[in-house]
Amino acid sequence: MISQLIQKIQKTKAPICVGLDPMLGYIPNHIVQRAFKDFGETMEGAAEAVWQFNKEIIDNTYDLIPSVKPQIAMYEQFGIEGLKIYARTIEYCQNKGLLVIGDVKRGDIGSTSSAYAVGHIGSVKVGSNECRGFNTDFITVNPYLGTDGIKPFVNVCNDEDRGLFVLVKTSNPSSGEFQDRLVDGRPLYELVAEKVVEWGEASMDGDYSNVGAVVGATYPEMSKILRKLMPKTYFLVPGYGAQGGTAKDLMHCFNEDGLGAVVNSSRGIIAAYKQEKYAKFGPEHFAEASRQAVVDMIADINSVL
Amino acid sequence: MISQLIQKIQKTKAPICVGLDPMLGYIPNHIVQRAFKDFGETMEGAAEAVWQFNKEIIDNTYDLIPSVKPQIAMYEQFGIEGLKIYARTIEYCQNKGLLVIGDVKRGDIGSTSSAYAVGHIGSVKVGSNECRGFNTDFITVNPYLGTDGIKPFVNVCNDEDRGLFVLVKTSNPSSGEFQDRLVDGRPLYELVAEKVVEWGEASMDGDYSNVGAVVGATYPEMSKILRKLMPKTYFLVPGYGAQGGTAKDLMHCFNEDGLGAVVNSSRGIIAAYKQEKYAKFGPEHFAEASRQAVVDMIADINSVL
């Protein structure tokens, strides 16, 4: 699966994914009001607004990008109706030729991780049928429970040619509270990184492993070290743009071949029309603002590679 | 919210929760076949089997217990259809007077944790309405991202009088891989425990905080220390029964007042009819076997208190 992502990145010259994290507050009023008119001020109405918003952004950006990363929490907040739109968004993106990274950050004891794995990147046996739940190409997972909480995801990846990104060093301000604590003189995230390498050894797909890592753009010195520790691990890099990471900050996430990282931007793309820089598009043309923000992001990142 | 759980524990004399983690393999054949007949060998069929199974177990145990803990992964594996049954199970249990601990182990950066929090234990604003997604009383959360990933959950708990259990020391075999690593001479889980105390300080509800901790039954020496470190923190204790924890192992999870812990058993209760001990009930009377297993579990735990 990672080789497919790399091919799409090379074809588009865009090592990025667009974060489809649609807070209601990001969605232009005309879309929200139309959805409320059709479905009421209900979960169904909110979900419809999210769907119309996503669809327009995808339609206006899919030819420029290799992948998207929907954050499931933004759908889950609207309950079942929201999750239906999560599933619909995945399918719609895949039909447009995009790879989908489900940002689900799941992780549990072994038998439970197995259930998450089959539901998100695999299939579940129902009688004599194999049924697919959310059918994403990649998901993010949380390593706090250790190897037996991660292995079931790796097994499904190997069986189904899918991919993972394991949280190593996250982009948020307090990520250091536990992740940076020194164990035998080294930060915990380095130990996690070494485990990620180990977990991914039997999942090579070309030059990289299907088991990747989440490494925040907001901590450039750390990503430099992590890049060396995990030479064959693809990085999913959140934190660019709205969270404060710049192109210069994330250059260390890439290998010398210009590969090795896919950089996410969510708010910076999907709510671009709210920025002064893109205000000329106006709320009616929000998706064209998103398209321009994608073009600008790609140029910005390529300027440091 | 924790005071409500304590009241129900005192009334039932049962410091336990029943883990509603319905793998298809646990469900008696007559239920599965009936569901497949009505809905086909589909996600809908699987979800219907899960629902009928849950309902019968709840109907046969609700008067003996204070709470249940559905593991969302077991529903999520069946996609949208499974999650509908997760929501229906929560509502059904609450209507029977049970408190529901959603075992979701969510956790992300701040804005994302906020979305999970409103979706699971709070409400989301849609136009002028407040809508509820999954509406559980408690959820479990993962601390790997630190304070800013947990605070949004705590805030919603405080606003809505709900509760949390933060993963501290999990019950699985490899939990020690990261959780036990020494930081300044002390295991990481102790640092997490101290943070849980700090996070819960402004969430007191009677003698205990609404911010609890997950502490596995399988590591009794550690729970002894954690009990002292977190005197006002309620423990959700997985690992009893099928995972190997005994009543003696978990006595240290309780305070001297006999309070302080709620012990979970999943397989040991819901698939009791598959154990030799309860084989006499047979698959047709599986829920009566579950009832007997609940009676036995309560007696077993009370024998060490």
Side-chain angles (χ1 to χ4, degrees):
Chain A
M1 180 51 71
I2 196 69
S3 64
Q4 287 188 47
L5 179 61
I6 292 169
Q7 277 168 25
K8 283 179 194 287
I9 287 173
Q10 288 174 321
K11 198 175 149 200
T12 53
K13 297 187 178 61
I16 72 165
C17 63
V18 170
L20 297 172
D21 307 355
M23 304 289 284
L24 269 190
Y26 297 167
I27 306 179
N29 206 36
H30 68 279
I31 292 185
V32 173
Q33 291 312 319
R34 203 169 52 207
F36 286 175
K37 189 162 162 276
D38 291 346
F39 297 94
E41 294 181 356
T42 60
M43 291 298 212
E44 221 179 334
E48 171 68 12
V50 167
W51 165 243
Q52 294 299 338
F53 180 66
N54 278 357
K55 188 173 170 301
E56 215 163 319
I57 290 172
I58 299 158
D59 288 345
N60 275 274
T61 57
Y62 77 94
D63 57 315
L64 302 175
I65 58 174
S67 57
V68 293
K69 181 178 76 64
Q71 166 54 258
I72 197 171
M74 299 306 167
Y75 304 83
E76 212 165 297
Q77 68 180 324
F78 302 118
I80 299 295
E81 298 304 324
L83 286 160
K84 284 183 193 168
I85 299 307
Y86 177 71
R88 196 191 290 176
T89 298
I90 292 164
E91 198 183 349
Y92 191 79
C93 290
Q94 287 168 337
N95 286 337
K96 291 275 184 189
L98 296 168
L99 292 175
V100 181
I101 303 164
D103 198 352
V104 302
K105 294 190 179 65
R106 301 303 195 245
D108 209 298
I109 67 169
S111 54
T112 307
S113 283
S114 288
Y116 279 131
V118 299
H120 286 279
I121 51 175
S123 58
V124 61
K125 208 168 167 58
V126 179
S128 51
N129 293 328
E130 296 283 341
C131 302
R132 291 190 182 274
F134 292 104
N135 200 24
T136 35
D137 302 300
F138 295 85
I139 53 171
T140 57
V141 296
N142 185 309
Y144 189 66
L145 283 85
T147 297
D148 61 36
I150 297 293
K151 267 292 165 70
F153 291 107
V154 176
N155 293 342
V156 172
C157 276
N158 294 347
D159 292 347
E160 305 252 0
D161 188 26
R162 303 288 171 116
L164 296 182
F165 294 100
V166 184
L167 301 188
V168 172
K169 173 66 188 172
T170 57
S171 59
N172 58 313
S174 64
S175 70
E177 233 167 62
F178 304 124
Q179 296 166 24
D180 294 4
R181 298 308 296 263
L182 297 184
V183 175
D184 298 333
R186 299 170 61 208
L188 178 67
Y189 62 77
E190 290 191 18
L191 275 68
V192 177
E194 287 175 350
K195 279 287 171 191
V196 170
V197 169
E198 191 186 312
W199 294 330
E201 267 167 7
S203 308
M204 293 303 292
D205 175 26
D207 293 336
Y208 289 90
S209 172
N210 278 327
V211 179
V214 173
V215 176
T218 40
Y219 301 100
E221 286 310 307
M222 298 177 186
S223 53
K224 198 169 172 176
I225 293 162
L226 289 170
R227 186 66 283 170
K228 282 188 187 129
L229 268 180
M230 300 190 276
K232 293 174 188 308
T233 305
Y234 233 80
F235 288 5
L236 170 63
V237 184
Y240 171 85
Q243 282 184 56
T246 67
K248 205 161 153 269
D249 289 336
L250 48 82
M251 56 187 281
H252 300 303
C253 292
F254 291 87
N255 276 321
E256 285 182 10
D257 57 4
L259 294 172
V262 57
V263 181
N264 180 72
S265 177
S266 301
R267 248 175 304 169
I269 305 291
I270 67 173
Y273 76 100
K274 294 199 163 202
Q275 295 173 44
E276 210 184 311
K277 189 176 173 188
Y278 303 109
K280 65 178 178 200
F281 289 96
E284 286 287 337
H285 300 280
F286 73 96
E288 290 162 53
S290 295
R291 183 177 178 87
Q292 188 57 49
V294 164
V295 169
D296 294 346
M297 180 182 174
I298 295 170
D300 185 36
I301 290 173
N302 283 329
S303 74
V304 298
L305 289 186
Chain B
M1 181 51 72
I2 196 70
S3 64
Q4 286 188 49
L5 179 61
I6 292 169
Q7 277 168 28
K8 283 179 193 286
I9 287 173
Q10 288 174 322
K11 199 173 148 202
T12 54
K13 297 186 178 59
I16 72 165
C17 63
V18 169
L20 296 172
D21 307 355
M23 304 290 283
L24 271 189
Y26 298 167
I27 306 180
N29 206 36
H30 68 278
I31 292 185
V32 173
Q33 291 313 319
R34 201 168 56 208
F36 285 176
K37 189 162 164 275
D38 292 346
F39 296 94
E41 294 181 356
T42 61
M43 290 300 212
E44 220 180 334
E48 171 68 12
V50 166
W51 165 243
Q52 293 299 338
F53 181 67
N54 277 358
K55 188 173 171 297
E56 214 164 320
I57 290 171
I58 299 158
D59 288 345
N60 275 273
T61 58
Y62 77 93
D63 57 314
L64 301 174
I65 58 175
S67 57
V68 293
K69 180 177 77 63
Q71 166 52 259
I72 197 171
M74 300 304 167
Y75 303 83
E76 212 164 297
Q77 68 181 325
F78 301 117
I80 299 296
E81 297 304 323
L83 286 160
K84 284 184 194 167
I85 299 307
Y86 177 71
R88 196 191 292 174
T89 298
I90 292 164
E91 199 183 348
Y92 191 79
C93 289
Q94 287 168 337
N95 286 337
K96 291 276 184 186
L98 296 168
L99 292 175
V100 181
I101 303 164
D103 197 352
V104 302
K105 296 190 177 65
R106 302 302 195 245
D108 208 300
I109 67 169
S111 53
T112 306
S113 282
S114 288
Y116 279 131
V118 298
H120 286 279
I121 50 174
S123 58
V124 60
K125 207 167 167 58
V126 179
S128 51
N129 292 328
E130 297 282 342
C131 302
R132 289 189 184 275
F134 292 104
N135 201 24
T136 34
D137 301 299
F138 295 85
I139 53 171
T140 57
V141 296
N142 185 310
Y144 189 68
L145 282 86
T147 296
D148 61 37
I150 297 293
K151 266 294 163 70
F153 291 107
V154 177
N155 293 342
V156 171
C157 276
N158 293 347
D159 292 347
E160 306 252 359
D161 188 25
R162 302 289 170 115
L164 295 182
F165 293 100
V166 184
L167 301 188
V168 172
K169 173 67 189 172
T170 57
S171 59
N172 57 313
S174 65
S175 71
E177 233 168 61
F178 304 124
Q179 296 166 24
D180 293 4
R181 299 308 297 263
L182 297 183
V183 175
D184 298 333
R186 299 170 61 210
L188 179 67
Y189 62 78
E190 289 191 18
L191 275 69
V192 177
E194 287 174 351
K195 279 287 170 189
V196 170
V197 170
E198 191 186 311
W199 294 329
E201 267 166 6
S203 308
M204 293 302 292
D205 175 28
D207 293 336
Y208 289 91
S209 171
N210 278 328
V211 179
V214 173
V215 176
T218 42
Y219 301 101
E221 286 310 308
M222 299 177 185
S223 52
K224 197 169 173 176
I225 293 162
L226 289 170
R227 185 67 283 169
K228 282 189 187 129
L229 268 179
M230 301 190 276
K232 293 174 188 307
T233 305
Y234 233 80
F235 289 6
L236 170 63
V237 184
Y240 171 84
Q243 283 184 57
T246 66
K248 204 163 153 267
D249 289 336
L250 49 81
M251 56 188 280
H252 301 302
C253 292
F254 291 86
N255 277 320
E256 285 182 9
D257 57 3
L259 294 172
V262 58
V263 181
N264 179 73
S265 177
S266 301
R267 248 175 303 171
I269 304 292
I270 68 172
Y273 76 101
K274 294 198 163 205
Q275 295 173 45
E276 209 183 313
K277 189 176 174 188
Y278 303 108
K280 64 178 179 199
F281 289 98
E284 287 287 337
H285 300 280
F286 72 96
E288 289 162 53
S290 295
R291 184 177 178 88
Q292 187 58 49
V294 165
V295 169
D296 294 346
M297 179 181 173
I298 295 169
D300 186 37
I301 290 173
N302 283 329
S303 74
V304 298
L305 291 185

